[in-house]
């Protein structure tokens, strides 16, 4: 009998768009301005996105809107979070050290990421969304992220 090996890449399909957002706004204020600009209804998700590495564990705030009419899921989440890691030290002076963790370490300068799921890329108005987001005064810069060049794709599975 033949053995079929299933790999994680078999389940990863690129039916989403990623947009990097540079802004110093608090997450709830950014969600408000995005809701207003794109006519959507992002709501704070009760559970944070948690990522664990050998350095520590980080929790990232997360806003979501499930557009049932168009079957699109909108996610806005922090790209940066401060994680606390325990260092084994003999003198006990510094028991924990704060480190900065990223959902997408390849884009460390991006403050937030907008992930738009279940889209058909040929019909999705990405340029229109980028233009609307760039008109928000509190956003310094927005740009699309190429998913094919990401090494940390697994962090986007939530």
């Amino acid at each position: 009998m033949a053995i079929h090996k299933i790999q994680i890449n078999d389940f990863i399909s690129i039916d989403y768009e990623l947009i990097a957002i540079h802004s110093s706004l608090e997450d709830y204020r950014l969600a408000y301005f995005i809701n207003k600009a794109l006519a959507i209804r992002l709501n704070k998700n009760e559970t944070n996105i948690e990522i664990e590495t050998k350095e520590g564990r980080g929790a990232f705030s997360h806003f979501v809107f499930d557009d049932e009419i168009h079957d699109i899921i909108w996610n806005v989440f922090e790209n940066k979070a401060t994680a606390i890691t325990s260092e084994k030290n003999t003198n006990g002076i510094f028991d924990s050290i704060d480190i900065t963790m990223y959902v997408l370490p390849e884009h460390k300068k991006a403050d937030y990421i907008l992930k738009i799921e279940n889209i058909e890329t040929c019909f999705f108005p990405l340029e229109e969304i980028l233009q609307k987001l760039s008109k928000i005064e509190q956003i310094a810069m927005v740009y699309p992220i190429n998913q094919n060049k990401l090494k940390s794709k697994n962090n986007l599975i939530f």
Side-chain angles (χ1 to χ4, degrees):
M1 183 171 176
I3 297 175
H4 181 70
K5 191 175 187 179
I6 298 176
Q7 298 186 5
I8 190 76
N9 292 337
D10 295 338
F11 296 102
I12 297 175
S13 64
I14 301 179
D15 64 341
Y16 60 89
E17 288 290 339
L18 295 173
I19 299 173
I21 300 173
H22 294 250
S23 176
S24 60
L25 285 173
E26 293 290 328
D27 55 359
Y28 65 92
R29 295 212 6 112
L30 179 69
Y32 169 78
F33 287 117
I34 291 174
N35 283 342
K36 197 172 173 183
L38 300 179
I40 60 175
R41 291 176 303 211
L42 292 165
N43 291 309
K44 181 139 175 90
N45 198 341
E46 293 177 13
T47 57
N48 290 334
I49 299 169
E50 292 188 10
I51 296 177
E52 188 169 348
T53 64
K54 61 184 176 195
E55 291 88 23
R57 176 182 223 148
F60 302 85
S61 70
H62 177 221
F63 288 78
V64 66
F65 170 58
D66 188 358
D67 184 357
E68 295 175 359
I69 296 170
H70 299 102
D71 194 30
I72 296 175
I73 300 172
W74 301 76
N75 294 283
V76 173
F77 51 91
E78 290 179 307
N79 190 35
K80 302 176 191 179
T82 302
I84 298 174
T85 181
S86 296
E87 286 289 322
K88 298 199 182 328
N89 201 343
T90 57
N91 60 10
I93 295 173
F94 300 105
D95 290 334
S96 64
I97 298 173
D98 291 344
I99 60 168
T100 302
M101 294 184 68
Y102 301 91
V103 175
L104 297 178
E106 299 90 343
H107 294 276
K108 289 182 178 181
K109 296 195 185 249
D111 299 306
Y112 297 94
I113 306 293
L114 172 61
K115 179 182 176 188
I116 309 165
E117 299 179 69
N118 298 336
I119 60 165
E120 294 181 29
T121 53
C122 56
F123 299 112
F124 191 73
L126 180 62
E127 288 299 320
E128 181 181 328
I129 289 171
L130 289 170
Q131 287 177 354
K132 287 180 180 180
L133 290 174
S134 65
K135 289 181 182 177
I136 298 173
E137 289 180 23
Q138 293 81 359
I139 293 179
M141 182 172 33
V142 294
Y143 53 88
I145 296 174
N146 185 350
Q147 307 92 304
N148 296 321
K149 295 183 180 180
L150 290 177
K151 294 179 183 174
S152 54
K153 288 181 193 178
N154 291 343
N155 293 349
L156 297 172
I157 301 171
F158 49 83

